[in-house]
Amino acid sequence: MGGSEEKSKKVGTVLAFAAVAAAVLMIVTANNENLNHTMGSGLSEYISSKASAEEKSESKDGEGSSEISSEISSEISSEISEGAEDDVKGGYVIRENEAGIRAESEIERLIAEIMITEYEAVARLENADITKFFEEPDSENALLNQTVLNYWVGMRSNSLNNLKLDEYELGIQYEEINELEDGCLEVKIIEDSRVRFEFLKGEDSYTSGMPHIFIFRKNESGYSLVSRERDEGSYILIDEMYEERKQEGNATELFAQIERVLIDASKAAAETLKQQWEEYEKDPEEYERPRIDWDVDYDAEAAVEYANSWVGKTETLRNPEWGEYDDYGGNCNNFISQCLFAGGIPMDTKGTIGVQWKWYGEGVNERQTKKGRSYSWTGVGHFYQYCLHNTGYGLVAWTDGNYFAGQKGDIMQCGILDAWKHSVIITECVKDENGVTIDYLTASNTSDRINYPASAYAYPELRVIRIFGWNKK
């Protein structure tokens, strides 16, 4: 879910920072150091697709596979719910696709187990052991997946808002099943979800289009999970950090170090936001007051209406009139640029190199002509630089304001360790009982998210770009 031209910082730099940061930042909480192997759940039901068993017979390639039985569903629910003190309402559904692709019931059960366990952990912000689902629990990939889960729990635990879940429904669609040369089975799925964060009090937030690739090995006792890859920001970030240093030490130790660095960074980010909110709370109107002039107003309502029209709840949506960059680093900034254009902000071909904002085609072209695209249309950092430096004709934006002074239609960017990864559009301000903004609901692309709180993204460092309008010359 990153920006198309943004590159992650190399881990050598990140872990060099870690060596210094570790001396001054707090150690990960005991809850993050010790895995809780007994996961609680209020999982009320486990929903599989409704095709009859007679219509689907088990097969190795998954073209016709058996249903996950109600007995297995109950077993998963019972195992996860042991020891639960609270009630999280959970659901799991396998979505049908046109090709009718399904996996064998044992594989579907293994995928369900690991993903439900992850959702339950994130719902309660309590760590859980998912390495036990892997053929080799101490393998690099098992430890990578565990570190990603630990990071999500730790990062959200550090948030200023209560990011526990009251409810979730996890959806899975089987996209492709392939037998590999070594005899293993490759299973590609797409994840979607509907969740309710406790602090939003009944508001539904949606994610769609999250790809996973599972590799299973057939053995005498059935199938075992070899690996699971995810096309998701925190997974990619942690994988890159590990790959840079994997030759320097033990995998378990390196992943633990990466986890501490990232969770400590999220604590520091939360402290920064807390300080900004305490200042903002004193006089919100003063911080929200524009400090610059412009010629033509931005139509924030039109921008948000466009945003909500091109984000899918259970599957990704893309406007065919524009290019797509999901496979080139992410579609997020392309999406928010489209939103601003829908809100009346004109393309800017008048600026010098680096100070243009346009999309007339796929190829990069920073000449003052209506051809190609600028880096700022699709890149997170480049867009910020355009907003910061543009003068005269085109977009009028403010990059230096208080984070909580944002308004509907403004742009929020998020990152970690000063690497900015993702752009989203604010669709609504979340306010406390005194009417003071405490968070934003957003819409975004790459994996589509709608009605999603800004504080719940994978990256805890947050900044807002105020969008006011544009100048005619």
Side-chain angles (χ1 to χ4, degrees):
M1 61 179 79
S4 59
E5 275 87 23
E6 286 292 297
K7 299 293 185 183
S8 299
K9 282 191 174 181
K10 295 299 183 182
V11 70
T13 303
V14 173
L15 291 183
F17 164 85
V20 178
V24 295
L25 294 173
M26 295 178 66
I27 297 175
V28 182
T29 61
N31 196 37
N32 290 329
E33 296 283 355
N34 301 297
L35 295 175
N36 179 358
H37 290 251
T38 306
M39 278 307 303
S41 171
L43 190 63
S44 61
E45 57 183 348
Y46 177 105
I47 311 168
S48 64
S49 61
K50 298 180 180 179
S52 67
E54 289 77 19
E55 293 174 332
K56 294 183 180 287
S57 59
E58 287 193 8
S59 68
K60 188 172 185 179
D61 62 9
E63 292 180 354
S65 60
S66 63
E67 291 294 317
I68 302 178
S69 70
S70 59
E71 290 81 5
I72 295 176
S73 305
S74 299
E75 182 182 345
I76 294 173
S77 176
S78 176
E79 289 175 355
I80 298 178
S81 64
E82 182 181 355
E85 296 180 359
D86 53 1
D87 182 27
V88 175
K89 184 179 180 183
Y92 178 82
V93 59
I94 298 178
R95 303 196 187 282
E96 296 291 343
N97 58 26
E98 293 182 359
I101 297 173
R102 291 287 297 273
E104 294 184 36
S105 60
E106 182 183 356
I107 288 176
E108 292 189 354
R109 183 189 192 282
L110 287 168
I111 291 174
E113 283 186 317
I114 188 171
M115 296 189 72
I116 291 173
T117 300
E118 288 172 330
Y119 267 78
E120 289 289 328
V122 173
R124 289 180 173 75
L125 300 183
E126 297 176 356
N127 278 323
D129 180 18
I130 58 170
T131 63
K132 63 186 180 183
F133 296 111
F134 288 79
E135 179 180 71
E136 297 182 13
D138 58 351
S139 68
E140 291 179 344
N141 187 262
L143 294 171
L144 169 59
N145 278 275
Q146 184 69 62
T147 304
V148 171
L149 176 59
N150 293 353
Y151 168 64
W152 274 96
V153 171
M155 181 268 295
R156 286 191 174 181
S157 296
N158 290 330
S159 174
L160 301 184
N161 296 316
N162 179 4
L163 295 180
K164 291 183 178 181
L165 304 180
D166 285 325
E167 184 176 327
Y168 70 84
E169 181 179 84
L170 162 63
I172 286 176
Q173 184 172 103
Y174 285 86
E175 291 289 298
E176 196 174 326
I177 301 176
N178 303 302
E179 186 172 354
L180 304 180
E181 291 183 0
D182 61 1
C184 289
L185 210 58
E186 177 189 66
V187 181
K188 296 182 179 182
I189 69 167
I190 302 293
E191 170 194 351
D192 67 80
S193 66
R194 176 188 60 80
V195 300
R196 288 186 176 180
F197 293 92
E198 285 190 11
F199 87 104
L200 292 180
K201 300 176 181 178
E203 194 85 42
D204 285 331
S205 300
Y206 297 88
T207 300
S208 66
M210 188 80 72
H212 301 249
I213 300 176
F214 291 85
I215 304 295
F216 293 93
R217 193 190 318 277
K218 181 76 170 178
N219 50 48
E220 293 181 358
S221 59
Y223 285 100
S224 58
L225 176 60
V226 178
S227 66
R228 190 269 293 268
E229 297 179 5
R230 304 165 65 178
D231 189 1
E232 182 274 323
S234 59
Y235 181 99
I236 295 170
L237 171 68
I238 293 170
D239 188 33
E240 289 177 346
M241 293 175 73
Y242 175 73
E243 287 297 321
E244 278 291 321
R245 289 289 299 273
K246 65 185 295 184
Q247 303 300 326
E248 298 181 17
N250 175 272
T252 301
E253 295 174 355
L254 283 175
F255 277 117
Q257 184 181 7
I258 291 168
E259 180 183 330
R260 285 194 295 271
V261 169
L262 295 179
I263 294 179
D264 286 347
S266 76
K267 289 178 182 177
E271 279 299 316
T272 298
L273 288 176
K274 182 180 178 182
Q275 293 170 9
Q276 289 198 50
W277 188 82
E278 289 173 347
E279 289 297 316
Y280 170 76
E281 183 191 24
K282 297 174 184 177
D283 193 351
E285 291 185 1
E286 175 62 20
Y287 283 100
E288 293 169 8
R289 179 175 60 84
R291 289 168 170 76
I292 49 180
D293 298 319
W294 61 93
D295 295 333
V296 182
D297 287 343
Y298 168 52
D299 189 344
E301 291 293 336
V304 169
E305 181 180 359
Y306 178 90
N308 288 331
S309 297
W310 290 104
V311 181
K313 292 182 177 180
T314 59
E315 60 182 0
T316 57
L317 296 178
R318 299 291 180 266
N319 187 337
E321 295 182 2
W322 301 94
E324 296 180 22
Y325 300 91
D326 298 89
D327 296 330
Y328 301 94
N331 202 57
C332 65
N333 214 87
N334 178 41
F335 171 69
I336 63 100
S337 289
Q338 293 173 36
C339 294
L340 298 189
F341 186 73
I345 306 299
M347 295 186 194
D348 181 0
T349 63
K350 298 181 182 295
T352 57
I353 292 176
V355 196
Q356 295 184 25
W357 180 71
K358 65 179 183 179
W359 193 96
Y360 293 98
E362 297 286 357
V364 174
N365 182 334
E366 300 243 30
R367 296 191 297 273
Q368 294 171 322
T369 179
K370 294 181 180 181
K371 294 181 180 180
R373 65 177 172 91
S374 62
Y375 285 115
S376 62
W377 187 275
T378 54
V380 173
H382 292 93
F383 177 74
Y384 181 84
Q385 291 300 315
Y386 172 71
C387 293
L388 178 64
H389 295 294
N390 187 53
T391 58
Y393 181 84
L395 176 67
V396 176
W398 186 254
T399 60
D400 297 326
N402 186 290
Y403 172 75
F404 293 95
Q407 301 294 308
K408 185 176 184 177
D410 288 342
I411 302 304
M412 189 277 285
Q413 293 188 329
C414 52
I416 191 166
L417 299 175
D418 293 325
W420 297 93
K421 303 285 189 178
H422 195 41
S423 297
V424 307
I425 184 168
I426 296 171
T427 56
E428 186 178 340
C429 295
V430 179
K431 299 181 181 292
D432 64 12
E433 62 274 8
N434 297 317
V436 179
T437 297
I438 59 171
D439 208 337
Y440 304 109
L441 296 183
T442 68
S444 64
N445 262 196
T446 301
S447 292
D448 283 13
R449 284 198 161 113
I450 186 169
N451 227 33
Y452 207 83
S455 59
Y457 281 90
Y459 308 116
E461 295 171 13
L462 309 175
R463 65 188 182 191
V464 160
I465 302 172
R466 298 292 312 277
I467 307 296
F468 295 118
W470 61 281
N471 285 330
K472 295 180 180 179
K473 60 181 181 178

